[in-house]
Amino acid sequence: MKNIILLAIGIIVLSSCKQEGDFNLNFKGLFKDDALVLNQAYELDDISVKFENLGFLLTDISIVNDDNESVELADAEFVALNGVDQAGAEAGQVLSYNNIPTGTYTKLKFTIGVPEDLNATVPGDYAITDPLGRSDYYWEAWGSYIFSKTEGNADVSGDGVYDLKFFYHTGSDALKRSFELDREIVIDKNSTSTLELFLDYNELLRNADGTAFDIEASPRNHDPNKLEIVTQLVDNYARAIKVRS
Amino acid sequence: MTNGVDLTEIDYAPKTYPIAIPDHFPTFTIPDDNPITEDGVRLGQHLFYDPILSLDSTVSCSSCHLPEKAFTDGVAVSTGVNGNVGRRSSMSLINIAYAFNGLFWDGRSNTLEAQAIEPVQDPLELIEDWDNVEEKLRRNERYQTLYRKAFGISNSDEITRDLTVKAISQFERILISGDSKYDRVEYGTNAAYTNEELNGRDMFFDADPLTPDAECGHCHNGPLLTTQQYINNGIQQVEDLASFPDKGRGEVTGIIFDNGKFRAPTLRNIALTAPYMHDGRFETLEEVIEHYNSGGHFAENLDALIQPLGLTEEQKSDLLAFLHTMTDTSYLTNPFIVNPFD
């Protein structure tokens, strides 16, 4: 898991003649350099934590080529980083897009969270199986989708019992974050190129000064008047997202 | 080669069943190979209420899924043929077409078609053998006609378990309810809650900073009043994760952290479906609210939202009043839904 950042895209080229190829976005959870396995202990500075439920809504996913032409891949996707063992964690979740025009693309764009127009809709507007049809990712009181969930258990006293339950749910228009990653993505005909995106939860649960969240003092965030901790969490995406191809 | 009865004289003119999905509901997928037709539903309806599916013709699906109880049976754990007692409580079939995350309390079945195979052969339910069921149905004149009309078969020998579960599934998919007071107030225009109900609603959905967050909506969210997720809501006291008497989801996945997790059920018609939880341990909604108010029993996989709520007596009764707005029995006026043998 070293050298996560950078590198060229690996492509398996198969033969064919159509001018379209496939593209996979492969999301994986990380804790520092390790694939993040749910319910396994990780040290967040001096607190031992186990993650239990990690997921988010990803929207407006597109790739852009040199001529600034973009190809929309999806309006909305649901990503759950729910690997319960090493193999599952290393596999992550794959979002597959077929029939992408061949060529060299230089940017990947996406938003974690839901853009305002879609955030004005509700799960009842969709099919029950759509990402935005998920009622567990909608919160009436906020009038918003829940953009991401980071839930787990912490052992704050060091007695080996993970009895402090924490959850950070992000949501409401101000907390969506959009990203443009400069990355060469080559789509070749009849082949699949894969881009791996990692989300490092060790980076996510940190204050601006780099210290770990005080999970004991603020284990949960349902008070709409206390948005500091979840605002910090979404601001941390920029450094928590790591790319490898 | 076939010895069955020729059915080609009977009319086969399938007509799509007009499912009325409330505007505020999501849509659901109907399998391509099992479109819902009026005659298909009609057949499913007969099968559902007919003890012919059981070993000794004493028990039908409807014995444990009574329409007037939102298709539950009013007892803690269900009783099948020979009085055999099951280990879990019957589940409501209302809005079951929306199940996307597995069926049964533990999610062990993926589709209604696959699910319907199970009760017939379950040793604690109908204890029948599917070969026998097929034989009984093939010899039955009423069913020869119903299968012909539903599926266009030309000979009674073509009656199979596959068509049987398809028809039952068509029937189940039309069990839609979306006209409770809750629906009319939240999504309609001219209904309103009482003060008590509104107060309960605000606690249920954490909508008012001045009342305690009861967190219910996180797992029982609208409009279906369920999120269908697998959760340990803390009803069972255990030494450790290995010692849940019913491992629930863990039995299906083999993951110890899933032990003691069950699918969060819908709260639609909850006033009609006592007793409560997968094992029917709570007789009343008051007991259920008392449980949540207590914060439940600790386990490492206890959901973080289950915590002492600190509700006063009045707040508990307001929450109860809100739960009572979720009742809707309008489906009982649908002739395709009620017992066709009555």
Side-chain angles (χ1 to χ4, degrees):
Chain A
M1 289 309 259
K2 301 207 168 99
N3 301 335
I4 279 159
I5 319 235
L6 56 47
L7 328 165
I9 302 284
I11 295 165
I12 311 138
V13 183
L14 306 171
S15 61
S16 158
C17 44
K18 70 171 179 168
Q19 299 303 304
E20 288 176 341
D22 300 334
F23 178 54
N24 284 346
L25 257 183
N26 188 182
F27 273 91
K28 301 181 185 188
L30 274 189
F31 197 90
K32 295 182 185 159
D33 284 345
D34 299 322
L36 191 158
V37 182
L38 291 189
N39 308 313
Q40 183 172 300
Y42 295 99
E43 305 309 314
L44 182 67
D45 291 358
D46 47 7
I47 293 187
S48 184
V49 295
K50 293 182 177 182
F51 295 95
E52 193 169 12
N53 184 21
L54 303 172
F56 49 92
L57 287 168
L58 197 70
T59 57
D60 287 345
I61 311 164
S62 64
I63 49 178
V64 184
N65 69 14
D66 280 338
D67 300 328
N68 222 17
E69 293 162 343
S70 67
V71 173
E72 313 295 328
L73 300 178
D75 285 340
E77 300 275 13
F78 174 67
V79 180
L81 300 175
N82 53 8
V84 291
D85 54 23
Q86 193 64 26
E90 282 173 13
Q93 183 178 333
V94 177
L95 306 173
S96 298
Y97 304 102
N98 302 324
N99 308 328
I100 311 293
T102 55
T104 301
Y105 297 82
T106 51
K107 256 193 215 337
L108 169 73
K109 291 186 177 184
F110 61 88
T111 295
I112 297 182
V114 178
E116 280 161 48
D117 54 337
L118 290 181
N119 207 23
T121 63
V122 293
D125 297 333
Y126 300 89
I128 186 82
T129 45
D130 279 358
L132 298 180
R134 292 186 72 106
S135 64
D136 58 329
Y137 272 71
Y138 189 81
W139 194 228
E140 315 258 350
W142 294 344
S144 171
Y145 280 91
I146 296 174
F147 297 168
S148 74
K149 292 187 180 183
T150 305
E151 302 179 357
N153 304 299
D155 171 16
V156 278
S157 57
D159 62 358
V161 185
Y162 290 76
D163 51 2
L164 179 71
K165 309 213 159 259
F166 65 86
F167 62 81
Y168 304 111
H169 291 174
T170 67
S172 75
D173 292 340
L175 291 192
K176 70 170 188 298
R177 291 291 179 270
S178 297
F179 302 93
E180 282 192 33
L181 303 182
D182 292 324
R183 203 61 48 176
E184 190 178 83
I185 300 165
V186 180
I187 307 290
D188 263 350
K189 62 183 175 185
N190 259 19
S191 70
T192 303
S193 54
T194 296
L195 185 68
E196 292 184 325
L197 284 181
F198 298 84
L199 196 52
D200 184 347
Y201 283 82
N202 177 53
E203 303 278 10
L204 214 52
L205 303 184
R206 290 192 180 272
N207 302 307
D209 65 4
T211 55
F213 279 0
D214 187 345
I215 292 181
E216 192 171 11
S218 312
R220 49 188 79 210
N221 75 296
H222 273 167
D223 184 344
N225 300 317
K226 285 196 192 141
L227 288 178
E228 296 87 7
I229 196 160
V230 281
T231 306
Q232 184 63 50
L233 188 150
V234 298
D235 286 342
N236 290 343
Y237 281 134
R239 65 168 190 260
I241 296 170
K242 301 176 179 184
V243 190
R244 186 172 67 176
S245 42
Chain B
M1 127 124 234
T2 167
N3 310 312
V5 178
D6 178 80
L7 304 173
T8 50
E9 295 295 296
I10 303 167
D11 243 17
Y12 169 57
K15 235 169 75 192
T16 302
Y17 178 91
I19 285 198
I21 297 181
D23 282 347
H24 61 288
F25 271 24
T27 55
F28 59 84
T29 311
I30 297 166
D32 288 340
D33 65 351
N34 195 19
I36 306 179
T37 63
E38 289 192 357
D39 287 311
V41 170
R42 199 55 99 194
L43 170 59
Q45 180 189 22
H46 280 80
L47 292 164
F48 188 86
Y49 287 95
D50 194 338
I52 192 169
L53 295 186
S54 69
L55 176 66
D56 57 359
S57 295
T58 55
V59 180
S60 67
C61 306
S62 66
S63 306
C64 304
H65 299 286
L66 284 73
E68 63 278 14
K69 291 188 187 299
F71 295 95
T72 62
D73 59 3
V75 293
V77 291
S78 302
T79 306
V81 168
N82 293 339
N84 288 349
V85 178
R87 59 174 184 153
R88 290 188 187 153
S89 193
S90 176
M91 305 180 80
S92 171
L93 304 183
I94 288 295
N95 296 334
I96 193 70
Y98 287 97
F100 72 94
N101 203 20
L103 290 152
F104 290 120
W105 285 104
D106 53 17
R108 68 182 179 276
S109 197
N110 278 327
T111 63
L112 286 172
E113 284 79 358
Q115 190 282 333
I117 288 284
E118 288 207 26
V120 171
Q121 57 200 19
D122 189 319
L124 297 177
E125 297 191 0
L126 305 176
I127 345 184
E128 184 52 301
D129 179 296
W130 269 106
D131 290 337
N132 288 343
V133 171
E134 286 173 345
E135 261 324 295
K136 285 192 278 185
L137 292 169
R138 285 171 189 165
R139 287 199 308 264
N140 183 303
E141 234 172 283
R142 182 204 306 267
Y143 282 108
Q144 291 168 358
T145 306
L146 286 167
Y147 276 84
R148 163 69 185 171
K149 284 177 167 287
F151 296 113
I153 57 168
S154 42
N155 185 289
S156 61
D157 275 2
E158 293 165 46
I159 293 178
T160 58
R161 67 196 73 181
D162 183 45
L163 293 181
T164 305
V165 298
K166 278 185 168 169
I168 292 175
S169 305
Q170 289 185 39
F171 168 72
E172 290 174 312
R173 289 194 175 96
I174 72 158
L175 305 176
I176 305 259
S177 147
D179 192 30
S180 65
K181 181 169 188 182
Y182 157 79
D183 296 287
R184 279 178 270 124
V185 178
E186 299 285 336
Y187 303 98
T189 46
N190 46 23
Y193 293 128
T194 63
N195 279 323
E196 292 73 26
E197 291 162 356
L198 181 62
N199 207 21
R201 184 248 180 222
D202 287 346
M203 290 185 283
F204 189 97
F205 289 117
D206 306 357
D208 180 354
L210 299 178
T211 54
D213 290 351
E215 316 283 10
C216 321
H218 282 284
C219 305
H220 304 285
N221 208 0
L224 298 169
L225 297 167
T226 172
T227 52
Q228 305 188 37
Q229 301 303 301
Y230 295 93
I231 288 159
N232 172 4
N233 70 340
I235 57 174
Q236 185 67 43
Q237 180 160 22
V238 283
E239 280 290 296
D240 52 39
L241 292 177
S243 44
F244 282 95
D246 182 341
K247 294 188 173 45
R249 186 64 178 160
E251 209 171 276
V252 177
T253 63
I255 299 166
I256 189 162
F257 272 84
D258 285 340
N259 284 359
K261 291 189 182 180
F262 294 86
R263 201 174 89 236
T266 180
L267 297 191
R268 214 162 255 289
N269 283 318
I270 197 65
L272 305 177
T273 65
Y276 301 105
M277 305 297 166
H278 71 273
D279 53 5
R281 67 175 59 207
F282 298 132
E283 297 281 334
T284 63
L285 286 174
E286 283 85 347
E287 287 174 50
V288 171
I289 291 173
E290 211 53 66
H291 154 69
Y292 283 112
N293 197 40
S294 77
H297 298 285
F298 175 78
E300 210 175 280
N301 65 0
L302 172 68
D303 195 277
L305 291 160
I306 307 295
Q307 52 185 313
L309 302 177
L311 305 182
T312 64
E313 290 310 313
E314 198 180 338
Q315 287 166 333
K316 287 184 219 167
S317 97
D318 290 351
L319 194 53
L320 180 65
F322 178 57
L323 296 180
H324 277 273
T325 68
M326 298 168 180
T327 306
D328 165 27
T329 52
S330 57
Y331 59 88
L332 291 175
T333 60
N334 183 340
F336 281 94
I337 290 183
V338 291
N339 190 340
F341 300 103
D342 282 350

